[in-house]
Amino acid sequence: MTFSDWIAEPVNWVFAAIGLAVLFSGFRVVTSKNVVHAALYLVGALAGTAGLFLLMSAEFVAWVLVLVYIGAVIVLFLFGIMITRAPTGLDESLSSDQTAMPALLSAAVFVVMTWASIDAFGTELLATVGEATSTQVIGESLLGRFVIPFEVVSFVLLAALIGGITIARRDLTPVEEEERMSV
Amino acid sequence: MSLAEFGIVFLRALMVFGLLLVATIVNIWAERKILADMQARIGPNRAGPFGILQTVADGLKLFFKESITPRKVELGMYMLAPFLAVIPAFLIFMMVPFGRPFTIGGNEVALVGADLNIGLLFVLAMSSMAVYAVVLAGWSSGSKYPLLGGVRATAQAISYEAAMGLAMVAVVVYSATQGDGGTLSLVEIVERQNGTWAGFIPRWNLFPQVAAFVIFLLAIIAETNRAPFDLVEAEQELVGGFHTEYSGMRFAMFFLAEYINIFSMSAIAATLFLGGWSGPTFEDSVPAFISAILPTVWFLLKTYAIVFIFFWLRATLPRLRYDQLMTLGWKGLIPAAVVWLIVSTISMGFRQFGAPWG
């Protein structure tokens, strides 16, 4: 498929527009000088990704992405920002000077992912426009063929949860314990 | 897509929009009247018969008031927040079927904004989007009280969303046993509640899922930040909470969003638990147009029954303390929802497949 064939399809224009928006938001997440703005650009990047999933007729994945990442994870980010400090202005100390290594790392990840997906699928058509994958099929494959990876992922989440509690928890000294009891 | 089909889609969206605006006007008036009655007052009684035009008068007044912009706000977010409040509130209602499909000129018109395969998931996603409006309004105001309101809203929304989702899952699992395979479409869930048990008990999900209904009801009251869970805008502590710095039309939009949310969430509760538009239509004894309109009447009656519970609780209960709110959410509702989900799923498994030892 040549580039002129590719660009002749209107759906590819939408893809290109959303893709560019995601790239821009992703870039602004790391360069923004205001921590709340950075979190909101992350919302933009995730919403764009959900849009790309919708474009591939993967309704379920798209809305789960909105529900879990935009609706819960970023909201927790904002919550964390607001109970610690919530500056409305710019914070010059927010950006790090060390940009070379992370940029290199990101480029390496991009190359590996692109190579892997082109190697695996090539020009194979993964989804047809207008044919939504039914949630029932996804549910059955998650609890059938992919049940072991599915459970392993939830086990990893549990481990992360316990790890987080262990790190954040501080055992009280006897004096503090007594104070707490008396309240 | 032909022009007629496009027209029908447009018409459906317009119907939802109109219905919600009218419902909001009625809701605000009804709340003031019902609260007044419960507190032995008269309530609004000047504008129109029984004061029913009071909301219109208030809306016009707010429309003509100056929208003051304080100097320390983050302008972009400050302007955006009211819109972020209204849009998800409208979109939630798009999923709710509010009447039986009817036919105009050979085209079937479904009385629902949009029938998505993953309708319920969309509802959850949009209700979790609604918290952005409150958080951003609180943050961008550049003032302490709104910020505190925003922080409270985040914590509250996250705590009660989990319980709400789990209660919904119990209903989805139950309605999967009532038809051919599972479904997340609200249209399908309503259709599976059609009919009766033993000839007179309606097949509503309320009866087999009564615990899920109670959990869901408490969770939606907390999600919409209504009394007794209205710590987000507790006026004794936070002035106006997240909308302290808003005035005029921008404040009116937050107000509109709150009442649309109450109506949408009540409609979702009526759809999931009270059979939505299903009900007797008396097709043999009344004219055809009445039996076509009756399902919408049933739907509105059920929705308003739940809206009434919102107002009733507001008149009855004092506001919870913050730690009580968190305790109720995390130690009360979420464990109860998990236990109920397990119990009801096991009992459905027994009924569907028989006991494993038998």
Side-chain angles (χ1 to χ4, degrees), chain B residues 127-329:
Chain B
S127 89
S128 63
M129 293 290 288
V131 70
Y132 274 91
V134 179
V135 171
L136 289 179
W139 174 75
S140 67
S141 294
S143 162
K144 293 291 179 227
Y145 288 132
L147 185 67
L148 283 172
V151 170
R152 284 184 176 186
T154 333
Q156 184 173 333
I158 291 168
S159 312
Y160 282 85
E161 220 169 74
M164 186 174 96
L166 285 168
M168 278 184 180
V169 171
V171 175
V172 170
V173 173
Y174 175 76
S175 72
T177 65
Q178 299 300 301
D180 178 30
T183 180
L184 289 174
S185 152
L186 287 171
V187 175
E188 270 280 302
I189 289 175
V190 169
E191 272 160 15
R192 287 176 189 194
Q193 296 179 68
N194 249 324
T196 50
W197 283 301
F200 65 97
I201 308 170
R203 290 176 70 96
W204 296 350
N205 290 341
L206 172 69
F207 302 116
Q209 292 288 331
V210 65
F213 177 68
V214 174
I215 294 165
F216 187 79
L217 197 64
L218 289 174
I220 60 174
I221 295 171
E223 280 284 297
T224 48
N225 298 327
R226 294 286 296 177
F229 304 108
D230 59 344
L231 288 105
V232 173
E233 40 194 314
E235 54 278 332
Q236 295 92 334
E237 303 157 26
L238 295 177
V239 192
F242 65 94
H243 57 59
T244 304
E245 305 291 351
Y246 283 88
S247 50
M249 206 52 212
R250 294 187 200 133
F251 166 75
M253 282 176 79
F254 277 119
F255 209 67
L256 178 70
E258 180 175 334
Y259 281 85
I260 293 176
N261 261 327
I262 292 171
F263 189 74
S264 299
M265 284 320 219
S266 303
I268 298 277
T271 304
L272 287 178
F273 294 99
L274 305 181
W277 50 260
S278 63
T281 51
F282 312 110
E283 253 142 5
D284 308 324
S285 46
V286 294
F289 79 93
I290 290 182
S291 66
I293 259 173
L294 266 178
T296 308
V297 174
W298 295 134
F299 166 77
L300 286 175
L301 276 180
K302 289 167 184 174
T303 306
Y304 271 107
I306 293 172
V307 171
F308 179 73
I309 297 178
F310 274 77
F311 300 155
W312 188 11
L313 282 179
R314 180 175 168 185
T316 313
L317 294 176
R319 185 178 299 130
L320 264 69
R321 220 170 50 219
Y322 195 70
D323 61 319
Q324 292 171 329
L325 175 87
M326 285 296 143
T327 310
L328 177 65

Side-chain angles (χ1 to χ4, degrees), chain A residues 34 36-37 40 43 59-60 63-64 67 70-71 74-76 78-79 82-83 86-88 134-136, chain B residues 74 77 116-118 121-122 124-126 128-129 131-132 135-136 139 147 151 154-155 158 181-182 184:
Chain A
N34 183 315
V36 177
H37 287 178
L40 293 177
V43 171
E59 276 186 336
F60 180 77
W63 291 113
V64 165
L67 175 63
I70 302 181
I74 309 284
V75 169
L76 279 177
L78 287 173
F79 182 60
M82 283 179 196
I83 55 172
T88 42
S134 91
T135 312
Q136 209 170 349
Chain B
E74 263 262 344
M77 293 300 148
L116 288 194
N117 183 357
I118 40 84
L121 200 65
F122 184 85
L124 271 176
M126 283 306 130
S128 63
M129 293 290 288
V131 70
Y132 274 91
V135 171
L136 289 179
W139 174 75
L147 185 67
V151 170
T154 333
I158 291 168
L184 289 174

Side-chain angles (χ1 to χ4, degrees), chain A residues 8-25:
Chain A
E9 288 277 342
V11 67
N12 287 338
W13 304 350
V14 182
F15 173 78
I18 298 177
L20 286 176
V22 171
L23 274 180
F24 172 76
S25 325

Side-chain angles (χ1 to χ4, degrees), chain B residues 23-57:
Chain B
T24 305
I25 292 175
V26 175
N27 273 353
I28 295 176
W29 171 77
E31 169 163 39
R32 295 177 68 171
K33 271 293 191 196
I34 290 168
L35 282 184
D37 206 43
M38 286 178 176
Q39 295 162 352
R41 294 184 286 115
I42 296 171
N45 65 346
R46 293 299 166 101
F50 306 107
I52 197 159
L53 294 176
Q54 185 64 44
T55 320
V56 181

